[in-house]
Amino acid sequence: MIPLLAQASTDGLTVEPHWYMALAAVLFAIGAAGLLLRRNALVMFMSIELMLNAVNLTFVAVDSGLGSLEGQISVLFVMVVAAAEVTVGLAIIVAVFRKRATASVDELAGMRG
Amino acid sequence: MVEVVLFAIFALAALAGALVMVTARNPVHSAMGLLLSMFSMAVFYVMNGAHFVAAVQVLIYAGAVMTLFLFVIMLIGVDRAVDTDEQIPLQRPMVLLLGGGFVFLIFSAAWDAWITGRASGVCTVDCTGTIENISSELFGAWLLPFEATVLLLTIAAVGTVALAQFVIKPRLLESRGDEE
């Protein structure tokens, strides 16, 4: 068993898995805040990538804590899905840009009721 | 001790890169910040023994995905404009509150929590994420999901080509503009 965040042992200063998980939580929050703060569709997309990367970091950290490989397999699948998402998403952004000449999501209110 | 110093350096680099990505006005600077963050995470993967994942992180994320991002930024032009008009009142302060509260909630909930699961994998001798270990897992127990990703990537490629082929007729655009 490994702790999620709190310090497990105090003997010697080594990097524990929960250090990575705390860092990943902060990175995820930064990504979520960036997704809501920015209006540029590209930067919003990058924020989503940052959130995915933070989750990947927790997978790998838990993996090394538990001594398994499934987390790393999951990371590979997340990367595949993220790559597919990026290609389709950027194609949508370019298609929208060709129509509206802007990458700002505030301009895209055509479906507002 | 070296590990702790490395963790400190690259944790700071990852956080700085993430903050630059969120705050930079120029999208190219945002992309560079995210690149720094991703490279730092590759270092963390190596420190956790996930060597193959680290290589894939550098090749796919820092290499291919960020190149694609920069390509699209250059294609549609660097948009430095920062619009400060609020569509939703008080959105930005609320976002900062939400982000801070999110971190606080995670930390307070996870402070006493433990990971109680056990590894169900078969690796009893060597659990480092070398190509050999990863591939024997991936092409063994995870073969069917792996094949599904092939389908997913094919669909994504076809969808991207379809989006690129899609041409909006100018007449249709004008009539839609009138309706608005």
Side-chain angles (χ1 to χ4, degrees):
Chain A
M1 286 204 298
I2 57 173
L4 275 174
L5 284 181
Q7 185 76 39
S9 60
T10 50
D11 43 22
L13 196 60
T14 54
V15 181
E16 307 275 343
H18 54 260
W19 292 22
Y20 294 106
M21 297 171 104
L23 177 68
V26 175
L27 285 174
F28 188 92
I30 291 175
L35 180 68
L36 293 172
L37 275 174
R38 297 302 298 262
R39 297 291 187 279
N40 190 324
L42 284 163
V43 181
M44 290 172 74
F45 234 105
M46 288 184 219
S47 303
I48 295 175
E49 293 303 313
L50 182 66
M51 290 158 76
L52 286 170
N53 267 281
V55 173
N56 283 351
L57 186 58
T58 62
F59 268 128
V60 172
V62 173
D63 239 10
S64 77
L66 289 176
S68 72
L69 276 175
E70 277 95 358
Q72 296 178 24
I73 305 284
S74 307
V75 167
L76 289 176
F77 285 127
V78 169
M79 282 179 178
V80 171
V81 174
E85 173 225 337
V86 162
T87 49
V88 177
L90 288 179
I92 289 173
I93 289 176
V94 171
V96 166
F97 182 79
R98 284 200 298 183
K99 189 183 169 193
R100 299 287 185 110
T102 180
S104 171
V105 291
D106 272 349
E107 307 291 324
L108 307 175
M111 289 178 77
R112 178 154 61 189
Chain B
M1 198 60 209
V2 177
E3 214 183 349
V4 175
V5 173
L6 274 178
F7 177 83
I9 291 172
F10 284 102
L12 282 177
L15 287 174
L19 286 174
V20 163
M21 185 210 73
V22 173
T23 53
R25 291 189 176 187
N26 192 333
V28 178
H29 296 169
S30 291
M32 290 301 151
L34 186 57
L35 199 59
L36 178 65
S37 219
M38 283 174 171
F39 268 118
S40 310
M41 277 191 222
V43 174
F44 294 146
Y45 294 158
V46 172
M47 285 163 69
N48 277 308
H51 305 297
F52 180 64
V53 173
V56 170
Q57 169 90 0
V58 172
L59 288 178
I60 304 293
Y61 261 126
V65 169
M66 291 318 294
T67 308
L68 195 61
F69 264 110
L70 283 171
F71 183 77
V72 171
I73 290 171
M74 297 304 175
L75 186 69
I76 71 176
V78 179
D79 182 17
R80 281 193 188 79
V82 176
D83 46 349
T84 49
D85 53 326
E86 301 273 352
Q87 299 287 327
I88 307 165
L90 283 179
Q91 189 192 348
R92 286 185 168 85
M94 291 296 279
V95 165
L96 294 179
L97 189 69
L98 184 138
F102 188 64
V103 172
F104 172 75
L105 276 180
I106 289 182
F107 272 67
S108 59
W111 197 253
D112 306 323
W114 295 71
I115 297 167
T116 53
R118 255 193 318 280
S120 61
V122 288
C123 64
T124 48
V125 184
D126 179 24
C127 275
T128 54
T130 57
I131 294 180
E132 192 181 356
N133 288 342
I134 290 277
S135 58
S136 66
E137 275 279 301
L138 194 61
F139 299 126
W142 296 86
L143 186 60
L144 193 62
F146 180 75
E147 296 288 343
T149 60
V150 175
L151 193 63
L152 175 77
L153 285 174
T154 310
I155 292 170
V158 171
T160 308
V161 172
L163 275 170
Q165 295 284 329
F166 182 65
V167 180
I168 303 152
K169 295 187 182 68
R171 192 169 47 81
L172 192 68
L173 250 178
E174 281 168 23
S175 66
R176 277 192 194 154
D178 290 342
E179 279 172 14
E180 285 177 4

